[in-house]
Amino acid sequence: MVQVLLQVPVIGMEFEAFAVLFIAALAGGAFGAALGALPSFVFTGFVVFLGEGIAILQNEIGSELGSIGPGDIATGVTGTIGFGAVTGPHIAFAGGVAATAYAGRKYPEMEPDDWDYHFGKNILYAFGTKPDILAVGAIFGVVGMLITRIMGGIGFPTDNIALSVVATAFLARIVFGYPLVGKVGGSSILDMTPFEREEKRVAADGGTETGRLATEPWLPHQYKWSGVTAIGIVGGILGGFIWLETGSIFLGYAISAMSLLFLNLGVEKIPVTHHITLLGAVGAVIAMPAIGSEPAALLVAGAFGAISGLFGEVTQRLFYSHSGTHVDPPAMAIALFMFILGLLYLAGLLPNAGYLGL
């Protein structure tokens, strides 16, 4: 009976294959907690870069590998590992985010002295081998895998890995007792000026919460509208150019993810751009059949990059800045933008839906 249930279209897997994925997702989520959410995502970038590089090489030289067809190795690296149970953001990163939210409640003494936000947002922190924290990561890794598989199985028209990253982050807030949005410190939910004035959060007794800012923008160096728009245009064009030259939608995303190694190591003002380069590539993919001009496609890519960057900024102001855990703005931007594009494609208004399998 169980095997029959696992063969329905929503899951679309034999029982044994699903069991393998389930066990691997447990380990992948724990792996994300052990390394930390952001370090695990940097590994996503490296693995996807490798997979896309292999795919480009195979496309250039053709298949001379016997029974292995073109793209098969790349599919194994990019899909099964990079976006799969080992470093998939919906598993490893999601497990790390949930583990951080748990530690923010359970182990506030772990908070580094130089951390100004709630410890539940410190996705740079590696939790090593602490069993209960790894267990939280493991559970959320499986939940992230299930959300992605189910939403993909019903054909939900967006990037369901990004959607799962967002869903598990909100679930962690509910499970560990954080507010879904949080207390607004400024004049409106979009107001970041309390951060600029270095105002402290007011505690329940009328004092201030030690060390915690009243408003906590996702990136202190990347929240002003003009700067977000500028890096969005730049990153979008580069993402579109990479696709034009290589045929890979995800190579720019991988480069952006790898660049976060420097952010994790403390290099100041490294921008976060994977949601920008990815949507820039998608913009070029959509524009080329309609326009047929590479320069024009790059302009569309820049526009898509800017829009995705702004989506990330709006969503961080809504759902990141005022509560105590990490809800990923790039994932929110990707899920929202790809949902819009998916609907437009299904309505017959776009020639394709980028990388969505619609």
Side-chain angles (χ1 to χ4, degrees):
M1 181 62 179
V2 174
Q3 188 169 359
V4 173
L5 289 175
L6 291 175
Q7 291 174 330
V8 299
V10 171
I11 300 297
M13 298 180 74
E14 298 287 344
F15 172 74
E16 185 172 346
F18 180 78
V20 168
L21 181 59
F22 186 95
I23 295 168
L26 283 170
F31 179 72
L35 267 65
L38 184 57
S40 76
F41 183 67
V42 171
F43 274 100
T44 305
F46 279 101
V47 175
V48 172
F49 183 82
L50 173 63
E52 294 304 286
I54 294 172
I56 294 166
L57 179 63
Q58 287 182 303
N59 289 334
E60 288 294 323
I61 66 174
S63 176
E64 298 181 3
L65 301 175
S67 62
I68 300 177
D72 287 349
I73 296 177
T75 299
V77 174
T78 297
T80 306
I81 301 175
F83 291 132
V86 182
T87 62
H90 58 308
I91 294 174
F93 181 81
V97 167
T100 307
Y102 169 75
R105 287 291 194 218
K106 182 76 172 180
Y107 301 108
E109 68 275 8
M110 287 184 174
E111 181 178 343
D113 292 336
D114 59 352
W115 186 253
D116 292 331
Y117 290 9
H118 193 284
F119 183 44
K121 287 180 172 175
N122 192 347
I123 62 170
L124 290 71
Y125 199 99
F127 291 101
T129 59
K130 199 163 183 61
D132 58 330
I133 297 180
L134 298 190
V136 170
I139 292 168
F140 275 82
V142 167
V143 172
M145 177 275 289
L146 289 173
I147 292 172
T148 302
R149 295 288 308 186
I150 291 170
M151 298 307 287
I154 66 175
F156 193 74
T158 190
D159 183 319
N160 288 306
I161 287 179
L163 181 65
S164 179
V165 169
V166 176
T168 52
F170 278 117
L171 179 62
R173 283 189 175 176
I174 295 171
V175 170
F176 300 123
Y178 295 88
L180 286 177
V181 175
K183 184 178 180 180
V184 176
S187 60
S188 73
I189 198 169
L190 299 179
D191 182 14
M192 296 290 105
T193 58
F195 168 75
E196 296 170 354
R197 295 190 295 266
E198 298 184 355
E199 293 179 7
K200 299 297 183 180
R201 185 172 292 263
V202 177
D205 61 2
T208 59
E209 292 187 26
T210 303
R212 189 175 175 195
L213 296 167
T215 303
E216 301 169 336
W218 164 51
L219 295 170
H221 59 280
Q222 186 180 324
Y223 72 92
K224 295 186 177 180
W225 301 112
S226 59
V228 170
T229 303
I231 196 63
I233 294 170
V234 170
I237 290 173
L238 292 177
F241 175 78
I242 291 170
W243 174 76
L244 286 173
E245 295 297 317
T246 69
S248 171
I249 293 178
F250 296 107
L251 187 58
Y253 171 98
I255 293 171
S256 292
M258 289 190 298
S259 75
L260 298 182
L261 172 64
F262 298 100
L263 184 65
N264 206 108
L265 293 174
V267 179
E268 294 184 0
K269 300 184 180 179
I270 295 292
V272 178
T273 59
H274 54 283
H275 58 309
I276 291 169
T277 50
L278 177 61
L279 268 297
V282 170
V285 168
I286 291 173
M288 276 303 292
I291 301 173
S293 165
E294 291 189 356
L298 286 183
L299 294 178
V300 173
F304 271 49
I307 293 169
S308 188
L310 291 170
F311 277 173
E313 181 55 32
V314 170
T315 54
Q316 80 87 9
R317 294 184 183 217
L318 294 175
F319 300 116
Y320 177 94
S321 292
H322 312 291
S323 191
T325 69
H326 184 90
V327 176
D328 196 55
M332 288 189 281
I334 293 168
L336 174 60
F337 205 165
M338 293 307 297
F339 180 65
I340 293 170
L341 296 177
L343 291 181
L344 291 175
Y345 169 73
L346 293 175
L349 300 177
L350 295 177
N352 61 68
Y355 57 90
L356 298 184
L358 301 178

